[in-house]
Each structure stands twice: as structure tokens, then as C-alpha cells.
Amino acid sequence: GQNIDQPTEMTATEGAIVQINCTYQTSGFNGLFWYQQHAGEAPTFLSYNVLDGLEEKGRFSSFLSRSKGYSYLLLKELQMKDSASYLCAVQDSNYQLIWGAGTKLIIKP
Amino acid sequence: SQTIHQWPATLVQPVGSPLSLECTVEGTSNPNLYWYRQAAGRGLQLLFYSVGIGQISSEVPQNLSASRPQDRQFILSSKKLLLSDSGFYLCAWSDLGAGANVLTFGAGSRLTVL
């Protein structure tokens, strides 16, 4: 079967760095996505990785290792507004998205 | 620029009543359209997707149906709601021709079935 695993909840301190991991087992691979979802709102796109390595976008970076079926989202200089759920999703061989359950990130002052 | 509208934002319906959620996209043509449901603590569940007018693919058998009467309109319906239909429903669109299948979501519709 197809499976996406990510931690249910993480806590971090304002101004610090946090890494949210995602491991996957899917039928084929056509890219991995990270989305941010604030409570009660719709998810918004953060990043897309299709090749191995690190993609950086301001305070957020996303890493992919296809051989290990592994990705992480790195958030630097955490702000209170970063409190949200972070969803990992993999696009399979049919270009369908398989979603993880999301990681709820709690930022403490 | 492209925008996606979804309504209603919130609704409370009795068991056995009908449902209609609507979604429209502006600023693009022939988008891929999706209906998802999100239960608390669980991943997004794809309900339906459409690659064109009148073309609907169902991912999960249930008492819901979808229709695409116009290129940029996607409707989620039910004739008789069940308690288990409660949840957060999200419409989304993407342009697969752009390469990565990046989804842009509507604001969501929170349905409570009593």
C-alpha cells in the first residue's frame, strides 16, 4: 500500500529552528510537496521537490532523498505565525497526491 | 490572477437532508478540479477529481456525487446526508500542464450533520 508518515505534533520555541520529517512509500514518485495549514483554514503550498537535495525559500527549506523515501521541512527563525499544521504529500506514478496526516507545530514564546 | 471561490463556508444539516457545495475558479481555463474531505487528525481524502466538463472520477464509494456543468464550476452533492459525512470539505484546482501538480484550495466548507 501507499503510506506517508510524519510526526503528529511538535513543539518549538520562537526564534529557534525546527525540522519536520516525512517518510513515504508510494507506487512511483513524481515529486513531494509541503503545504501549510492554519487551524480552520485551507492548506497553502510551500514547496515542491522532485530531485534530491535542498530547496530554499526564505526561512523555509525542504530536502528530499528519493533513495531513502525521505523528506524534511526546515523552518528557521520561528515566528508565532508559523504555528500551523504542515502536510507532506507525494505525487505517485499516476500524478495522484498521497497525503500524510500532517504535523501540528506549536510555537512557544 | 487565478482565484477559487467555495461556498457555503459553514453549514449544519440534519441527517437525511440533501447537500450542495459549490466551487468556481476564475482566471484560468480547463483546470483540474478536486473535492477533498479532511477529518480531524487525518490526511486529506480525495473524493472526486475532474479533468474536464462532464468528466468525473470518484475515488471513494459513498453517498456523495460530483458534477462539472461548466469548465470552471465543480459541485459536490448528496441526496441524503449521513452523520459520517460531517467534516471539512475542500475544493481545489491545479494546472497539470504546468508540471508540478500544485493545488490551490478554496477556503473550505465545514459541514456538521446532526
Side-chain angles (χ1 to χ4, degrees), chain A:
Chain A
Q2 308 205 87
N3 195 49
I4 309 285
D5 286 317
Q6 50 181 133
T8 303
E9 187 175 296
M10 299 181 70
T11 302
T13 304
E14 189 177 16
I17 299 173
V18 70
Q19 177 176 311
I20 302 173
N21 296 325
C22 171
T23 58
Y24 63 89
Q25 292 176 307
T26 57
S27 303
F29 179 85
N30 278 303
L32 184 143
F33 300 79
W34 284 96
Y35 284 77
Q36 180 190 59
Q37 185 177 24
H38 286 101
E41 299 182 8
T44 55
F45 170 73
L46 285 178
S47 68
Y48 170 69
N49 294 69
V50 66
L51 299 176
D52 289 351
L54 189 68
E55 295 280 344
E56 297 186 76
K57 272 187 186 181
R59 295 189 298 113
F60 292 9
S61 303
S62 56
F63 172 83
L64 174 67
S65 169
R66 288 172 297 172
S67 63
K68 295 181 179 179
Y70 168 71
S71 172
Y72 67 73
L73 180 68
L74 191 71
L75 292 73
K76 301 177 183 177
E77 301 170 14
L78 286 170
Q79 301 175 10
M80 296 304 293
K81 67 178 183 179
D82 297 329
S83 292
S85 289
Y86 291 85
L87 312 180
C88 174
V90 171
Q91 190 166 247
D92 68 12
S93 56
N94 294 318
Y95 287 88
Q96 295 300 318
L97 284 173
I98 312 302
W99 294 84
T103 298
K104 182 178 181 181
L105 178 63
I106 299 168
I107 309 296
K108 295 186 174 179

Side-chain angles (χ1 to χ4, degrees), chain B residues 30-98:
Chain B
N30 197 30
N32 296 327
L33 295 173
Y34 307 82
W35 278 111
Y36 280 91
R37 179 168 60 201
Q38 186 175 37
R42 300 183 67 177
L44 291 171
Q45 178 187 35
L46 179 63
L47 302 175
F48 301 93
Y49 71 94
S50 171
V51 298
I53 296 175
Q55 301 178 58
I56 310 293
S57 296
S58 173
E59 293 297 305
V60 183
Q62 53 202 328
N63 68 320
L64 300 173
S65 62
S67 62
R68 185 170 178 171
Q70 301 180 43
D71 180 46
R72 290 168 289 176
Q73 183 184 24
F74 206 24
I75 298 171
L76 182 69
S77 304
S78 174
K79 292 182 179 179
K80 288 186 177 181
L81 284 169
L82 306 173
L83 286 174
S84 58
D85 291 323
S86 293
F88 191 46
Y89 289 80
L90 290 157
C91 179
W93 77 273
S94 72
D95 177 9
L96 189 55

